[in-house]
Amino acid sequence: MTGMHQAPRRALWFILSILSASSMWYYVANVWSVGQPAQFSDLYARWWGAHELLLHHRDPYSPAVTREIQIFIYGAPVATLHPGDRAELAGGFAYPIYVAFLMWPTLHLGFPAVQVLFRCLFVTLTLASLWLWIYALRWRLPAAELGMLAVFTFGSFPVLQGLKLQNLSLLVAFVVAATVASLSTNYYGTGGFLLAVSTIKPQFVILLIPWLALWVMGDWRGRQRLVWSFAAGMSVLILGAEILAPGWIGRFLAIVQAYRRYTYGHSLLDVWFTPRIGFVVSIILVLAVLALCWRCRSDPAHSSRFFLASSLVLAATLVVIPTLEPHAQLLLLPGFLFLLQYGGRIWTLSKTSRLLLTGAWILLGWAWAACFGMMLAATWLTGNTLLRFWAVPLYTSPLLPFGVLVILGFLLATETEFIRGRGMILEP
């Protein structure tokens, strides 16, 4: 009887996943990306900088290389918009120089071929990220439900934006997922090396690294391989980069400052308060999150509480780092998977938990609902009229990390039987 009742429910969710993904694909292709330069690609700056560094021994942070990147992407050098801006650095190679090691196999290909290669790679890695998070969560899903989750994932704006822009966020999100999955199976050496690789986007792991350092302190003898492998990996990357481009760190920091100016590099807290007050609130928030996670330092990496703490840290990261770009919200995937797996238990905890859970799903679902409405409206509205409402599906995007942070923090802070029962919690 249970299977008979589940079949229509699964069919309904399958139809919903297809409609949601189709609506979001329509929005990204026909509304959000309208007016974007055809050659625009976040990947180009990384590829061209690595190309010039490794093949022609030029500094990828130099104004000359940055100018070449600007001309390719925007059609002309970027002009100074505000006093004090360094236009000659805007839009350039704003990554640690060791990202060039990743780009090395593609340097003798034309950029169109590189784009196709990375687009296929990003799709594969995003699917692998979903599977790795589910694996780390110890969630046994039927193939049909895993397929539906994959459709919802590839129909989300963060993934489609990342694919459209060809941003390395998709790759780093996979490396973070692989790091946690490695730790959950006690492969600490592999996890430490992957954690080092993830620093090609250092803002993504700026809180994950301190949390894992606290976790290692909970069992130094058993977990110290994570520290040594991370230190070895970072040493290889930094020293290798220093050999290629001596003194690169100072130039990298300079171009990051220019990057923040030209990409509205403010955190969610900067927007809500002011940059100065937002910084103070960020410090308080980080300390509060790490204090919550401190209680989990003795938990094994395969436990649900470790997964919950790691998901909380990643959500907090998106609240405090200076970016509002939705493609970074791939780091929220483990948090939503946790809420999905244990949603039934969370619902029965208290009125507060029900309210927070409902709020998180509303914030997530708004984008799909708005895109579906826009797709329907396109049958009678002209394209120009529809473009006036292009931002509507993104209204809840800045709130999404905070919503996930609050409910995950609530679950970890309340210390209910839901959290304490480690053995029980592994079986939803």
Side-chain angles (χ1 to χ4, degrees):
M1 291 294 292
T2 303
M4 294 176 61
H5 290 298
Q6 285 183 346
R9 186 178 179 182
R10 286 179 177 174
L12 178 61
W13 276 105
F14 177 74
I15 294 172
L16 184 60
S17 69
I18 296 298
L19 286 176
S20 299
S22 300
S23 302
M24 188 62 72
W25 294 339
Y26 171 83
Y27 166 73
V28 171
N30 298 285
V31 180
W32 177 77
S33 62
V34 170
Q36 190 179 88
Q39 72 277 13
F40 188 88
S41 170
D42 284 344
L43 183 64
Y44 183 78
R46 268 42 84 190
W47 178 79
W48 185 250
H51 181 278
E52 294 304 287
L53 171 67
L54 297 177
L55 297 186
H56 301 128
H57 309 293
R58 298 175 68 196
D59 180 7
Y61 300 125
S62 68
V65 172
T66 302
R67 180 185 175 88
E68 293 163 6
I69 293 170
Q70 292 172 352
I71 291 173
F72 178 87
I73 294 177
Y74 304 108
V78 174
T80 298
L81 300 178
H82 305 286
D85 284 349
R86 298 190 62 187
E88 76 278 7
L89 297 180
F93 190 84
Y95 273 64
I97 211 166
Y98 47 79
V99 75
F101 301 146
L102 171 68
M103 308 303 300
W104 171 76
T106 69
L107 298 185
H108 292 285
L109 300 174
F111 187 63
V114 174
Q115 288 180 292
V116 173
L117 176 64
F118 269 86
R119 191 172 289 115
C120 295
L121 179 65
F122 288 154
V123 169
T124 303
L125 294 183
T126 301
L127 183 61
S129 297
L130 175 63
W131 181 83
L132 286 168
W133 285 123
I134 291 173
Y135 175 79
L137 192 52
R138 298 295 195 269
W139 193 5
R140 298 178 182 87
L141 274 176
E145 294 183 11
L146 181 59
M148 281 186 282
L149 280 178
V151 174
F152 273 118
T153 301
F154 280 101
S156 66
F157 185 75
V159 170
L160 292 180
Q161 186 196 37
L163 289 173
K164 183 70 176 178
L165 298 180
Q166 298 164 4
N167 194 281
L168 292 183
S169 292
L170 297 166
L171 185 148
V172 177
F174 161 77
V175 178
V176 172
T179 299
V180 176
S182 298
L183 297 180
S184 72
T185 50
N186 298 328
Y187 285 97
Y188 299 139
T190 302
F193 175 77
L194 289 170
L195 186 61
V197 173
S198 69
T199 61
I200 61 172
K201 265 189 174 286
Q203 67 271 34
F204 273 28
V205 290
I206 194 170
L207 297 187
L208 184 63
I209 291 173
W211 151 232
L212 292 179
L214 293 177
W215 180 72
V216 169
M217 292 171 60
D219 181 11
W220 171 255
R221 179 173 296 181
R223 301 167 182 168
Q224 59 177 301
R225 282 176 296 160
L226 172 61
V227 174
W228 301 129
S229 62
F230 173 72
M234 289 303 302
S235 297
V236 170
L237 292 174
I238 292 174
L239 292 178
E242 188 66 23
I243 292 173
L244 288 174
W248 67 272
I249 295 178
R251 298 192 298 279
F252 165 65
L253 295 177
I255 206 167
V256 165
Q257 290 299 318
Y259 179 84
R260 290 189 61 182
R261 283 180 175 271
Y262 281 86
T263 59
Y264 191 72
H266 295 286
S267 72
L268 182 61
L269 298 177
D270 291 340
V271 175
W272 285 355
F273 303 101
T274 64
R276 180 173 297 180
I277 298 176
F279 176 76
V280 175
V281 176
S282 295
I283 296 297
I284 296 172
L285 178 62
V286 168
L287 293 176
V289 167
L290 292 179
L292 280 177
C293 293
W294 173 256
R295 293 184 286 178
C296 307
R297 67 190 183 282
S298 298
D299 294 342
H302 63 263
S303 70
S304 292
R305 197 160 72 156
F306 175 86
F307 190 97
L308 174 58
S310 300
S311 301
L312 172 64
V313 165
L314 293 175
T317 300
L318 294 180
V319 174
V320 301
I321 62 175
T323 182
L324 299 177
E325 287 294 339
H327 57 70
Q329 293 178 5
L330 287 164
L331 296 182
L332 296 178
L333 181 57
F336 276 113
L337 289 175
F338 187 92
L339 296 179
L340 186 61
Q341 183 184 18
Y342 297 113
R345 289 188 183 180
I346 296 171
W347 188 260
T348 61
L349 287 178
S350 65
K351 290 182 179 179
T352 302
S353 66
R354 287 195 291 272
L355 179 63
L356 295 177
L357 183 63
T358 301
W361 290 123
I362 289 175
L363 290 174
L364 179 66
W366 168 260
W368 283 311
C371 288
F372 182 70
M374 295 185 79
M375 189 169 66
L376 291 180
T379 59
W380 73 84
L381 291 179
T382 63
N384 289 336
T385 302
L386 203 61
L387 290 177
R388 292 168 53 192
F389 304 97
W390 72 270
V392 172
L394 305 180
Y395 280 172
T396 62
S397 180
L399 298 174
L400 196 56
F402 185 75
V404 177
L405 170 69
V406 170
I407 187 170
L408 296 183
F410 172 80
L411 292 175
L412 200 55
T414 51
E415 287 292 346
T416 63
E417 290 302 319
F418 172 79
I419 300 299
R420 289 196 185 105
R422 289 188 210 164
M424 179 183 66
I425 198 175
L426 292 175
E427 297 297 333

